[in-house]
DNA sequence: CATGGTGTTTGATCTGCATCAATGCGGGCT
DNA sequence: AGCCCGCATTGATGCAGATCAAACACCATG
């Protein structure tokens, strides 16, 4: 399971770094987690996990971006999840996943060996509960995503995607900083069920309209947040949870 | 959470009817569940639950079909889940859902009052574990669905949908019985991210090719299972879990 | 048996996005 | 500097599926 990024997942004070696992753990439990913890690094583009392979670790993303993708026989691929720092990968009770996990930028993971981790999950209700909470968050995100894929126009898809990035980057100051655009055009296309050309065209259109600007390929700034939101097709408070 | 229909969810011997809840419960736990159980009926087309309303019950579907849908401001709607008999609705730890639940045929639900049910979930690890298992099944289904919505052609969508119904109806004898087609063309369209006209056209095409036949609006027969599978775009053993 | 209503099929046309193709841009290398 | 290579943009064209519109099947009801 992967999990949405939001404030409540963060836990900067903890060695394991993620409230997902540790917020309510006592010292003994934390010590246990420390024992089975191991860091792993991946370069941009490197596969983290192949579809169908045994999942030997649960892990949480410390830095970088990773993508969950499914690919059809003929090569069409669809992203089915996007991992940002503090997101979690793992499926209690399952030992495989049927999608690929790939690092789209340099990634470091904090991994927990599967078996001991599952024992902790089973033994401590609050951890099990947290895992359930994360699974449900993920499910909500997947459902919003389904609306996007099934019913939104290319323009709406792009606007929704950019707005999601704005929300996830939760900018405190209102100084319109450049926001990280962590994927290539092709990856964005696979995320949104489009082609890279359409992604590029729609971004150009939004730029021409003065809604956003792109200082470079890997960043963007929102110039008119209201206009961006209008373009998403979402109602006032709704939108993707991802 | 809703959950996929498959054999392991069924539990015909049990009063609550669903292994989802009861398979590993002892007599005391079953008695407890019996106490908080109440049946509710809905007519075809009737709303079971509105988006945002408080979820007062967990329930499992005893008979009929229900759909989870999300609707955009301008009326575009996308189905994000389909409930068949033995499927489960409920989200441990959450009290609302952000989609509508509607009966698409006459429906009876076996409902459990929320609070006592959650207490049971918290107290009995194997029930909590089963809930997690169901959430993950659902997540897998949602992800397959995302590939369908984002990357498949209309023809592939229809074929995948029909094949899913075949799988879920798990026909024992090979006598090609008429399989239930539990949705209107419009509902199928909302399921697949298409228009009803396109659904109708693609079904006609498959009929003309001798892949399937439609004895009436609400049933179909598979004449050439291999051809149907070829049309899905899935590889040999893959496909939707739903 | 006509009547109306709902859901379905089929046809004609339009259009948004995919596809094919060329050009542009920036960053790393020799 | 000059070159290349990966990625991005932009243009021209085609097509799958949407949209608009009409006919049709089925069922209930008077």
């Amino acid at each position: 399971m992967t999990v949405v990024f939001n404030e409540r997942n963060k836990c900067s004070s903890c060695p394991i770094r993620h409230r997902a696992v540790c917020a309510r753990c006592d010292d003994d439990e934390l010590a246990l987690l420390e024992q089975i913890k191991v860091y792993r690094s991946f370069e941009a583009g490197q596969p983290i996990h192949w579809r169908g392979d045994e999942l030997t670790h649960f892990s949480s993303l410390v830095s970088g971006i990773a993508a969950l993708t499914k690919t059809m026989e003929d090569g069409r691929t669809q992203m089915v999840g996007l991992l940002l720092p503090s997101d979690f990968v793992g499926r209690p009770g399952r030992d495989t996943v049927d999608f690929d996990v790939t690092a789209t930028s340099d990634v470091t993971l904090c991994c927990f060996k599967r078996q001991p981790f599952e024992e902790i999950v089973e033994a401590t209700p609050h951890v099990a509960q947290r895992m359930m909470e994360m699974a449900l968050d993920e499910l909500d995100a997947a459902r919003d995503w389904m609306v996007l894929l099934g019913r939104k126009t290319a323009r709406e898809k792009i606007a929704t995607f950019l707005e999601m990035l704005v929300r996830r980057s939760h900018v405190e100051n209102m100084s319109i900083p450049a926001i990280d655009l962590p994927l290539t055009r092709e990856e964005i296309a696979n995320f949104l069920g489009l082609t890279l050309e359409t992604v590029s065209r729609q971004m150009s259109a939004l730029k021409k309209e003065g809604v956003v600007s792109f200082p470079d390929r890997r960043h963007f700034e929102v110039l008119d947040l209201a206009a961006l939101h209008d373009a998403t097709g979402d109602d006032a408070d709704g939108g993707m949870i991802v």
Side-chain angles (χ1 to χ4, degrees), chain A:
Chain A
M1 154 189 53
T2 64
V3 130
V4 299
F5 173 77
N6 52 32
E7 269 312 307
R8 71 176 170 229
N9 286 344
K10 278 172 64 179
C11 184
S12 54
S13 64
C14 143
I16 291 129
R17 293 282 304 282
H18 298 294
R19 177 162 298 163
V21 176
C22 73
R24 293 169 57 195
C25 290
D26 59 30
D27 289 345
D28 288 349
E29 288 161 0
L30 281 182
L32 218 54
L33 285 169
E34 271 299 301
Q35 275 173 33
I36 61 173
K37 179 180 89 175
V38 50
Y39 287 99
R40 297 169 69 194
S41 296
F42 298 86
E43 286 174 22
Q46 211 181 340
I48 294 174
H49 192 271
W50 290 115
R51 173 194 319 220
D53 284 354
E54 200 193 343
L55 207 59
T56 57
H57 293 79
F58 284 40
S59 49
S60 71
L61 192 63
V62 176
S63 68
I65 312 280
L68 317 185
T69 55
K70 279 169 171 271
T71 303
M72 296 172 64
E73 288 174 289
D74 62 2
R76 283 175 282 178
T77 91
Q78 174 65 52
M79 202 179 287
V80 297
L82 187 63
L83 298 176
L84 273 78
S86 97
D87 283 354
F88 196 84
V89 197
R91 303 160 65 78
R94 307 289 177 90
D95 53 2
T96 60
V97 291
D98 62 345
F99 44 75
D100 301 321
V101 184
T102 317
T104 62
S105 69
D106 291 354
V107 157
T108 62
L109 291 176
C110 174
C111 301
F112 305 97
K113 285 208 183 89
R114 181 181 179 73
Q115 211 204 319
F117 187 84
E118 290 218 341
E119 281 162 17
I120 293 174
V121 171
E122 278 176 40
T124 59
H126 69 260
V127 173
Q129 228 168 304
R130 185 70 189 96
M131 302 296 284
M132 172 62 89
E133 203 180 304
M134 292 196 291
L136 293 178
D137 279 347
E138 186 90 3
L139 202 44
D140 284 340
R143 283 177 168 147
D144 279 322
W145 203 330
M146 282 167 58
V147 176
L148 177 146
L149 291 171
R151 292 301 184 199
K152 288 195 176 180
T153 64
R155 180 186 169 84
E156 288 169 339
K157 287 177 176 181
I158 295 291
T160 305
F161 174 65
L162 293 178
E163 201 190 35
M164 179 200 79
L165 290 176
V166 172
R167 194 170 312 140
R168 290 180 86 155
S169 71
H170 47 78
V171 192
E172 298 84 9
N173 50 3
M174 288 281 86
S175 56
I176 330 177
I179 293 171
D180 216 54
L181 195 54
L183 304 173
T184 66
R185 299 292 182 266
E186 186 175 13
E187 287 162 343
I188 296 170
N190 287 338
F191 188 103
L192 300 173
L194 298 170
T195 59
L196 62 135
E197 294 95 328
T198 300
V199 169
S200 181
R201 270 184 249 275
Q202 295 297 335
M203 284 184 160
S204 297
L206 288 174
K207 186 171 89 179
K208 196 169 294 175
E209 292 167 32
V211 179
V212 292
S213 67
F214 297 92
D216 63 68
R217 277 148 219 257
R218 289 298 215 161
H219 295 86
F220 73 102
E221 296 173 349
V222 180
L223 305 177
D224 186 340
L225 193 53
L228 181 64
H229 182 81
D230 283 350
T232 62
D234 293 328
D235 43 4
D237 51 345
M240 292 185 76
I241 302 181
V242 183

